[in-house]
Amino acid sequence: MERSNGRVIRFPSPSLRRARFGVPAPLMLLIGMFTLHTGSALAVTAFAQAAPATVTWLRLSWAAVLLLALGGRSLWRSVRAATRRELGAVVILGTASAGMMLFYSEATARIELGTATSIEFLGTLVVAVAAMRRRRELVWIIAAVAGVLCLTRPWQGELDLTGIAFALAGAVCVVGYIVLTQKVGAGFGAVHGLALTMTVGALISAPLGAPAVFAAPDPDLILFTLLIALLFPMVPFLLEMVALQRMSRTAYSTFSSLEPAVALVMGLVVIGQAPAAVQVVGMALVVVAGVGAARGDRSDRPAVPRSPVRPQEVEGPSSPGVARASADQAA
């Protein structure tokens, strides 16, 4: 999936500039994926203490606070320089991000982590195939749907329709997230755009998650969600921000297609969600579909190309959606 708007990329710290030369970009991307889905798996364990909406709101709030601090004074200069249309795009993107994370959390509370991620990945795949506008690429959508059927196993009669509905709603939000990220990236850098997006997401989800926290504060839960927020979006975001500048668009999309499989592995390792043999086959189909769609692009262009920056723009990476989140990425 391409999530770049072509703006110039500068690193926020010397340590990140040094890091980009020390670790291979694909390895950074894979570490980011495993970190992200470790956070997602840990979030599932937190559902025993609080409702998914409450856990999600706390994660969004912590992410907003951390990213606002990382953005610093330059963030507010960027906000003052933005147009009303750019600020409006941030609000819409933040709403889509909140929906994506809330739906994903509700899904993972009911169905396996790998299955929920695979269903949500359908949104990413639809955008990728639609961008190529070639009918033959629809085979990858068919393969992914077949994979999801193997993962959900409807023939066994134990289908959790509510969980699947939440995952599908998350997939719809992913489509909006990808499209809107391009628009927000036209006016903000990665850190700034993501900070504002997470802030809007926290505000949007507050009516669903905040009342339970204020009614019965749980210090252990609050601190635990801070850990989860560090695992996602902070670490994956920073790693992906560096990796994107050293990989072609096709290579990046190919590696990103491994994400559903990573989710399945972390679901097994962290929370003991052991897949059946047919589910492993289904996961393989989803991954193959993602890789096939990515290779169909056959582009050697960098995932984040460089171009001149407008005078009012501050330094920052290319796109607010660099971190999954998006996360898929969003949860």
Side-chain angles (χ1 to χ4, degrees):
M1 177 181 62
E2 183 182 0
R3 291 178 288 182
S4 163
N5 69 314
R7 289 176 55 199
V8 67
I9 298 173
R10 294 184 175 87
F11 291 94
S13 69
S15 60
L16 282 178
R17 285 195 294 268
R18 290 193 297 270
R20 63 174 175 168
F21 297 109
V23 181
L27 180 58
M28 288 184 184
L29 201 57
L30 288 174
I31 292 173
M33 286 184 201
F34 277 100
T35 304
L36 186 156
H37 287 292
T38 298
S40 296
L42 289 174
V44 173
T45 67
F47 297 158
Q49 297 174 261
T54 300
V55 174
T56 301
W57 176 73
L58 285 169
R59 292 176 63 192
L60 281 165
S61 299
W62 277 123
V65 169
L66 293 169
L67 287 162
L68 287 172
L70 186 61
R73 294 181 179 178
S74 62
L75 170 61
W76 307 116
R77 290 197 295 270
S78 180
V79 171
R80 288 195 297 269
T83 65
R84 288 185 178 181
R85 179 173 293 184
E86 289 169 342
L87 293 175
V90 167
V91 172
I92 299 173
L93 177 60
T95 303
S97 301
M100 183 172 63
M101 293 184 68
L102 286 167
F103 287 135
Y104 183 76
S105 294
E106 293 288 353
T108 55
R110 294 167 172 83
I111 60 178
E112 290 88 351
L113 188 70
T115 301
T117 303
S118 296
I119 295 174
E120 197 172 77
F121 183 71
L122 292 176
T124 302
L125 193 59
V126 166
V127 173
V129 170
M132 284 182 278
R133 299 179 181 178
R134 294 194 295 265
R135 289 185 179 180
R136 66 176 180 272
E137 302 298 337
L138 290 175
V139 67
W140 305 122
I141 298 291
I142 296 171
V145 170
V148 168
L149 288 174
C150 290
L151 284 162
T152 54
R153 297 174 293 174
W155 55 83
Q156 289 192 348
E158 299 176 355
L159 200 62
D160 191 320
L161 294 177
T162 303
I164 291 174
F166 276 124
L168 287 172
V172 173
C173 289
V174 166
V175 174
Y177 178 84
I178 295 170
V179 174
L180 290 165
T181 290
Q182 302 289 328
K183 296 183 181 297
V184 172
F188 298 96
V191 174
H192 294 172
L194 189 64
L196 295 173
T197 298
M198 292 295 100
T199 300
V200 172
L203 293 173
I204 292 293
S205 60
L208 298 175
V213 176
F214 289 113
D218 185 343
D220 291 337
L221 176 65
I222 294 171
L223 289 176
F224 188 48
T225 53
L226 170 59
L227 170 64
I228 297 173
L230 288 171
L231 290 172
F232 175 69
M234 294 302 295
V235 171
F237 169 72
L238 293 173
L239 289 174
E240 198 173 54
M241 182 169 61
V242 178
L244 278 169
Q245 300 163 84
R246 300 168 54 199
M247 301 179 72
S248 71
R249 187 175 64 187
T250 302
Y252 170 73
S253 299
T254 301
F255 273 91
S256 295
S257 300
L258 299 174
E259 193 160 334
V262 172
L264 183 144
V265 170
M266 297 317 297
L268 172 63
V269 172
V270 178
I271 51 181
Q273 293 180 341
V278 69
Q279 290 180 300
V280 174
V281 172
M283 182 60 62
L285 283 171
V286 173
V287 171
V288 168
V291 172
R295 303 307 293 180
D297 186 7
R298 297 187 181 278
S299 173
D300 292 327
R301 287 176 291 173
V304 181
R306 296 174 181 264
S307 67
V309 181
R310 298 180 305 179
Q312 70 267 32
E313 286 177 347
V314 296
E315 292 184 357
S318 73
S319 164
V322 171
R324 168 111 29 260
S326 328
D328 268 323
Q329 164 111 129

